[in-house]
Amino acid sequence: MTVNARFLAEDSSQVVLASASSSRKQLLENAGLPVECHAAAIDENEIKRSLAAEGASALQTAETLAELKAGRISRSWPGALVIGADQMLDCNGTWFDKPGDRDQATGHLKALSGRTHTLETSVCVVRDNERLWHHNETARLTMRSFDDDFIARYLDLSGEAILNSVGGYCLEGYGVHLFARVEGDFFTILGLPLLPLLGFLRDRGAVRG
């Protein structure tokens, strides 16, 4: 077993991440859990629109998307423990997606400046299209008030990375300068409630205690 796999039980089921998220993959690998990563082919935007029309909350939507992703990938990985995760940014009932370009990122930051928003994050584990476990967490983040010059400077420094995160920020990088207050688990804010997930995998014998 390689050094990077030192916490993955040798006789455990295959662990697969139903995501192309580099940050979620990095979190798991940093914890000594190398995983196969496969993005699920689902229409997230259409699912969000449909759930919003039905009155679903941001957290309910994140949970639904996490399970759909894991379920879709589990069809191709019989017997594997498939991890699905999703995160929604909700600011007083308005949902924010990843910005498509710099102009959208600028708009998101202007809208969030001086306000508190929540990151609703859900993770689930599916095996053979059956949900075995799930966990939901909410983090509250309050942005400072900042002007257009600050936004431009921040976006110049951050580059393309801001397009990979809802709200246009990465808290582990320059995005920390956007905030006055952060309430919640750091791993959850990064998109994966890692400690509860590791606890479940440990209980299943996939991770050595």
Side-chain angles (χ1 to χ4, degrees), residues 1-9 29-34 207-208:
M1 181 174 293
T2 66
V3 173
N4 285 336
R6 59 186 177 273
F7 285 103
L8 191 63
E29 290 185 342
N30 287 348
L33 304 180
V207 171
R208 293 189 288 180

Side-chain angles (χ1 to χ4, degrees), residues 190-203:
L190 297 188
L192 187 68
L194 186 60
L195 299 182
L197 175 60
L198 290 177
F200 169 77
L201 294 175
R202 194 174 296 114
D203 290 343

